[in-house]
Amino acid sequence: MEASFTFEIKSQIQRARAGIFHTPHGDLLTPVFAPVGTQATIKAVTPAQLEELTASLVLANTYHLYLRPGDEIIAQLGGLHSFMHWDRPILTDSGGFQVFSLADSRKIDPDGVTFKSHIDGSTHRITPEKSIAIQENLGADIIMAFDECGSPYDIEKNKTALERTCTWAERCVKAKTRSDQALFGIIQGGVYPELRQQSAEFLSRLDLPGYAIGGLSVGETKAETLSILEQVDDWLPRNKPRYLMGVGSPEDLVTGVQRGVDIFDCVLPTRLARHHAAITRTRRINIANARFISEKSPIDESCTCYACRNFSSAYLRHLVLAKEILGATLLTIHNLNTLLVLMKDIRQSILDGKFEQFAAHFIEEWEGTE
Ligand SMILES: [Zn+2]
């Protein structure tokens, strides 16, 4: 078996890469999409269903699991893999993004962040060292450096956030004790190329096993996101995986891979499923729409998921209107399948040397949201 956390690039078409990232819980075939399990569960589906969908990497949220049930409890129960019965790779975030989202109940200082729990109002403090200690208790394969995500258009705030993110990344490296976890750094800097470059170059010098591009998908335009991705691609080491945090619509996956991204995560497919929306290869549809009342065909004729193999659109519409739990489960299975199959097809097209044609065809066919 290959050493853990080495990254092999099998094929590259311009910036797009098909690779293998070796982890203690198996290989990630990249580019890869990770479903999000905020509370150590991908909402509405069982781990067995995820396995059937051939999901490989899943994400869990440090902030939520630290507050409930507590990272020490999870460690006592054998860590996240055992706790949530998932023996494939897991990634945890640093808790930073969620803590900073608690705009009114958190206070940042150069050493860390003090905040109030959204559950019971109790006061907590997370420092870079604490974030690593929590993530070591959780025991994911990929863990993230504690970072501050500035708002995209405030240059002064971004400068301060960036300074902290750099210092905090160094502190995370020093605090880390487990060798079976890969610590990724997070590039910040808003929409400012000079800050992004500074961030990418600083983190590259730390020689981490992977790099995330943070602070995107938080209010900036798509053109700005794509431009930052292209610039960051030039500043990061080529032999390490790049992770674009919180991005996962079908068109964003294709355009992200086009710009050198290897790992994605997003709540979109699972969240949409709980709001009656299905993602297909060409568009997003609302299954509650009256036009499906007696529709015999599945959500997507070309999809081979359990939901599309066995159920009509009319049945799914009935389930969601009757607020039946199975509606969310079937739509989640379908939406995850769409994204996971899309990633497999993207990977194959890179291996076959046909990614540019694939991407052009996909973008031409993509109709967007109904
Ligand atoms: Zn389907």
Side-chain angles (χ1 to χ4, degrees), residues 239-350:
N239 60 345
K240 303 286 176 72
R242 292 91 176 267
Y243 162 33
L244 179 55
M245 307 174 83
V247 167
S249 73
E251 73 273 35
D252 291 343
L253 296 179
V254 173
T255 54
V257 171
Q258 246 173 350
R259 287 157 183 83
V261 177
D262 306 296
I263 302 173
F264 301 83
D265 82 279
C266 195
V267 296
L268 188 78
T270 45
R271 179 172 289 167
L272 285 178
R274 301 193 305 282
H275 293 89
H276 313 162
I279 307 169
T280 73
R281 197 62 169 247
T282 55
R283 62 196 171 133
R284 187 191 292 184
I285 57 177
N286 183 348
I287 201 70
N289 194 301
R291 72 190 165 92
F292 295 116
I293 191 161
S294 58
E295 181 58 59
K296 289 194 188 79
S297 64
I299 305 167
D300 181 352
E301 301 268 16
S302 66
C303 179
T304 57
C305 83
Y306 174 76
C308 291
R309 285 198 318 270
N310 297 295
F311 304 97
S312 64
S313 299
Y315 180 64
L316 278 161
R317 177 175 185 271
H318 158 68
L319 289 179
V320 303
L321 291 182
K323 299 190 167 52
E324 283 294 333
I325 293 168
L326 184 60
T329 296
L330 293 176
L331 283 171
T332 300
I333 288 172
H334 168 78
N335 285 351
L336 287 178
N337 190 67
T338 299
L339 294 196
L340 293 167
V341 170
L342 173 62
M343 292 310 268
K344 269 184 212 158
D345 291 348
I346 288 175
R347 186 171 197 276
Q348 195 57 49
S349 76
I350 299 171

